[in-house]
Amino acid sequence: MDDSSTNLDRGLLVDRTPFPEKLDERLRKQFTFLIEVDQLKAILRQSPLACVERRENDAEHSWHLAMMVALLAEYSDEPIDVGHTVQLVLVHDLVEIYAGDTPLYDGVAEADQQGREQAAADELFALLPDDQALAVRALWDEFEARRTPEARFAKAMDRLQPLLLNWMARGGTWQAPGVTADHVRSRKAVIGDASTALWEAGRCLIDEGQKRGWSRSGEPPQ
Amino acid sequence: MDDSSTNLDRGLLVDRTPFPEKLDERLRKQFTFLIEVDQLKAILRQSPLACVERRENDAEHSWHLAMMVALLAEYSDEPIDVGHTVQLVLVHDLVEIYAGDTPLYDGVAEADQQGREQAAADELFALLPDDQALAVRALWDEFEARRTPEARFAKAMDRLQPLLLNWMARGGTWQAPGVTADHVRSRKAVIGDASTALWEAGRCLIDEGQKRGWSRSGEPPQ
């Protein structure tokens, strides 16, 4: 890949079947973005689904997090605005459309993750009308910064959901090479920044999984 | 299939890897429901994705509708509560986990759709703690009844989203046997109950698609 090329150079999904010129310009931008983000459905995560034997994609994951926010908000240690938190999880993975998924236990990919994702956000959100580009960017920045109770709870759901899927799979990504139960514990501890009760439940599942041999004992990799 | 069997007779997903008994009972019910609804990711719709060549599943579709609500709410003819409308689309297809997807142009499956879906709702939502079972049921009932501006807008998104995907596919399900452009127009007209502007855009795409030969001319089937 040429380093100077951008995703826009490679073309948009909508270029394959452009919308009629007579559509209102603002609406055409919104439709263009809504078609471009269809690609979230093709970004595979590491997590195994509970219902069938395949990996989860980012769109399914985002829907699942939104359901979790709606049903588990009562466990937030601080009051949160549920509707706003749902918006954070709906958009939190959009940048992966251009930047790709960075697996939780992949230290190498993690090193340049932030730069790749910032560039992806610049390109992707610019497809929207300016006011909405700013609004979606603000949601994504808020999620990343984790400075609001809503962002902390959204992040907690982002870590708790694969934990539940790994439990159902009796290990799942806990069994990836080099990953130990302590490593899992340290990466999941951010759940406790949002909810004491949910982190207690999460730890219970990690502990029980380790006891059953679904994860390795030993020191986390440095 | 034995007519008297229920989905619960066939067992829950969580039965494959039950959560530890020491988890709080209320939280265990919520986790049980959140795992059961993982099945939404395995329910295939008729719509083709824009990004890759496969059909869309209900979880991806629900996420996409939520994004559309957030970005297109400005076109609602009546003021709507965006957060509430997002909740309606997040849960609107859950009953299909037990009742299956009913394709939009399938008159036979449609005949007993309501009974199947009511029974599915009774079973599925009962997994939640009582207060949340009532709340999710109320959301689903509201979506189905279409008596609030939020429910009408949610329904409009449910019809507009596959229209956009069919446009991208240069026909998609518009080319299913027996389906004509007039049939598409009549099934999509509910978009106009929520938004004059979006229905104008929808009609523009259907008209243009028919002109390009992506759908059949002629009377809709009775």
Side-chain angles (χ1 to χ4, degrees), chain B residues 196-216:
Chain B
T196 309
L198 293 179
W199 178 220
E200 194 184 315
R203 254 193 340 241
C204 165
L205 297 180
I206 298 169
D207 293 351
E208 183 65 26
Q210 182 177 13
K211 206 186 294 177
R212 298 187 191 181
W214 298 347
S215 58
R216 280 180 211 90

Side-chain angles (χ1 to χ4, degrees), chain B residues 9-81:
Chain B
D9 290 339
R10 290 190 287 280
L12 298 172
L13 269 190
V14 80
D15 295 339
R16 301 181 191 171
T17 317
F19 289 115
E21 290 290 325
K22 68 183 111 166
L23 275 194
D24 170 75
E25 192 190 333
R26 179 173 172 88
L27 188 55
R28 205 161 61 225
K29 284 186 179 178
Q30 292 162 323
F31 281 3
T32 294
F33 178 83
L34 286 166
I35 289 299
E36 190 71 2
V37 300
D38 196 67
Q39 294 174 79
L40 203 68
K41 303 166 188 172
I43 307 212
L44 285 184
R45 298 168 47 78
Q46 300 299 315
S47 312
L49 294 187
C51 63
V52 286
E53 287 211 26
R54 69 165 167 84
R55 283 158 61 194
E56 186 180 45
N57 69 53
D58 269 348
E60 299 167 330
H61 166 70
S62 299
W63 166 80
H64 214 164
L65 296 197
M67 288 297 299
M68 289 176 73
V69 169
L71 292 171
L72 302 178
E74 65 187 270
Y75 299 107
S76 176
D77 290 340
E78 298 170 273
I80 55 169
D81 178 324

Side-chain angles (χ1 to χ4, degrees), chain A residues 16 30 57 64 75 170, chain B residues 16 30 41 60 75 170:
Chain A
R16 300 180 192 173
Q30 292 161 323
N57 69 53
H64 215 165
Y75 299 106
R170 305 183 180 200
Chain B
R16 301 181 191 171
Q30 292 162 323
K41 303 166 188 172
E60 299 167 330
Y75 299 107
R170 305 183 180 200

Side-chain angles (χ1 to χ4, degrees), chain A residues 13-14 16-20 22-24 26-27 30-31 33-35 37-42 49-52 54 56-57 59-60 62-64 66-68 71-72 74-75 82 86-87 90-91 94 128 132 136 160-161 164-165 167-168 170 198 201 204-205 208 211 214, chain B residues 13-14 16-20 22-24 26-27 30-31 33-35 37-42 49-52 54 56-57 59-60 62-64 66-68 71-72 74-75 82 86-87 90-91 94 128 132 136 160-161 164-165 167-168 170 198 201 204-205 208 211 214:
Chain A
L13 269 190
V14 80
R16 300 180 192 173
T17 318
F19 288 115
K22 68 183 109 166
L23 275 194
D24 170 74
R26 179 173 172 88
L27 188 55
Q30 292 161 323
F31 281 3
F33 179 83
L34 286 166
I35 289 300
V37 299
D38 197 66
Q39 295 175 77
L40 203 68
K41 303 167 187 173
L49 294 188
C51 63
V52 287
R54 68 165 169 84
E56 185 179 46
N57 69 53
E60 298 166 329
S62 299
W63 166 80
H64 215 165
M67 289 296 300
M68 290 176 71
L71 292 171
L72 302 178
E74 65 187 271
Y75 299 106
V82 173
V86 166
Q87 295 218 14
L90 290 176
V91 307
L94 285 178
L128 282 167
Q132 293 194 323
V136 175
L160 179 60
Q161 189 254 5
L164 296 179
L165 292 181
W167 170 267
M168 288 305 299
R170 305 183 180 200
L198 293 179
C204 165
L205 296 180
E208 183 64 27
K211 207 185 298 178
W214 299 347
Chain B
L13 269 190
V14 80
R16 301 181 191 171
T17 317
F19 289 115
K22 68 183 111 166
L23 275 194
D24 170 75
R26 179 173 172 88
L27 188 55
Q30 292 162 323
F31 281 3
F33 178 83
L34 286 166
I35 289 299
V37 300
D38 196 67
Q39 294 174 79
L40 203 68
K41 303 166 188 172
L49 294 187
C51 63
V52 286
R54 69 165 167 84
E56 186 180 45
N57 69 53
E60 299 167 330
S62 299
W63 166 80
H64 214 164
M67 288 297 299
M68 289 176 73
L71 292 171
L72 302 178
E74 65 187 270
Y75 299 107
V82 172
V86 166
Q87 296 219 12
L90 290 176
V91 307
L94 285 178
L128 282 166
Q132 292 194 323
V136 175
L160 179 60
Q161 190 254 3
L164 296 179
L165 292 182
W167 170 267
M168 289 304 299
R170 305 183 180 200
L198 293 179
C204 165
L205 297 180
E208 183 65 26
K211 206 186 294 177
W214 298 347

Side-chain angles (χ1 to χ4, degrees), chain B residues 109-120:
Chain B
E110 212 177 312
D112 71 334
Q113 181 182 7
Q114 211 178 5
R116 278 185 292 115
E117 293 194 344
Q118 290 287 341

Side-chain angles (χ1 to χ4, degrees), chain B residues 46 103-107 166 171-188 206 210 213-222:
Chain B
Q46 300 299 315
L104 186 57
Y105 303 109
D106 184 339
N166 282 331
T173 64
W174 297 346
Q175 299 176 338
V179 176
T180 68
D182 280 344
H183 197 195
V184 175
R185 260 178 223 103
S186 79
R187 296 314 300 267
K188 299 293 181 183
I206 298 169
Q210 182 177 13
W214 298 347
S215 58
R216 280 180 211 90
S217 297
E219 288 297 305
Q222 294 307 311

Side-chain angles (χ1 to χ4, degrees), chain A:
Chain A
M1 191 175 87
D2 174 0
D3 276 341
S4 66
S5 77
T6 67
N7 292 286
L8 296 185
D9 290 339
R10 292 191 286 281
L12 299 172
L13 269 190
V14 80
D15 295 339
R16 300 180 192 173
T17 318
F19 288 115
E21 290 291 326
K22 68 183 109 166
L23 275 194
D24 170 74
E25 192 191 333
R26 179 173 172 88
L27 188 55
R28 205 161 62 226
K29 284 186 179 178
Q30 292 161 323
F31 281 3
T32 294
F33 179 83
L34 286 166
I35 289 300
E36 190 71 1
V37 299
D38 197 66
Q39 295 175 77
L40 203 68
K41 303 167 187 173
I43 306 206
L44 286 184
R45 299 168 47 78
Q46 300 300 314
S47 312
L49 294 188
C51 63
V52 287
E53 286 211 26
R54 68 165 169 84
R55 283 159 60 194
E56 185 179 46
N57 69 53
D58 269 347
E60 298 166 329
H61 166 70
S62 299
W63 166 80
H64 215 165
L65 296 197
M67 289 296 300
M68 290 176 71
V69 169
L71 292 171
L72 302 178
E74 65 187 271
Y75 299 106
S76 177
D77 289 340
E78 298 170 272
I80 55 169
D81 178 323
V82 173
H84 185 69
T85 314
V86 166
Q87 295 218 14
L88 294 176
V89 300
L90 290 176
V91 307
H92 84 289
D93 270 343
L94 285 178
V95 298
E96 297 189 359
I97 288 173
Y98 292 158
D101 176 50
T102 303
L104 186 58
Y105 303 109
D106 183 340
V108 178
E110 212 176 311
D112 71 333
Q113 181 182 7
Q114 210 178 5
R116 280 185 291 114
E117 294 195 343
Q118 291 285 342
D122 289 343
E123 279 191 75
L124 182 63
F125 301 152
L127 298 177
L128 282 167
D130 291 347
D131 60 315
Q132 293 194 323
L134 286 171
V136 175
R137 177 62 181 246
L139 287 171
W140 182 66
D141 286 342
E142 181 184 344
F143 176 83
E144 290 290 306
R146 283 187 244 165
R147 279 194 214 99
T148 61
E150 285 79 7
R152 281 189 289 272
F153 197 78
K155 189 69 187 180
M157 296 303 97
D158 193 32
R159 292 282 161 92
L160 179 60
Q161 189 254 5
L163 198 160
L164 296 179
L165 292 181
N166 282 332
W167 170 267
M168 288 305 299
R170 305 183 180 200
T173 62
W174 297 345
Q175 298 175 339
V179 175
T180 67
D182 280 344
H183 197 195
V184 175
R185 259 177 224 103
S186 79
R187 296 314 301 265
K188 299 293 181 183
V190 294
I191 298 171
D193 295 342
S195 168
T196 309
L198 293 179
W199 179 221
E200 194 183 316
R203 252 191 342 238
C204 165
L205 296 180
I206 298 169
D207 293 351
E208 183 64 27
Q210 182 177 13
K211 207 185 298 178
R212 297 186 192 181
W214 299 347
S215 59
R216 280 179 211 90
S217 297
E219 288 298 304
Q222 294 308 310

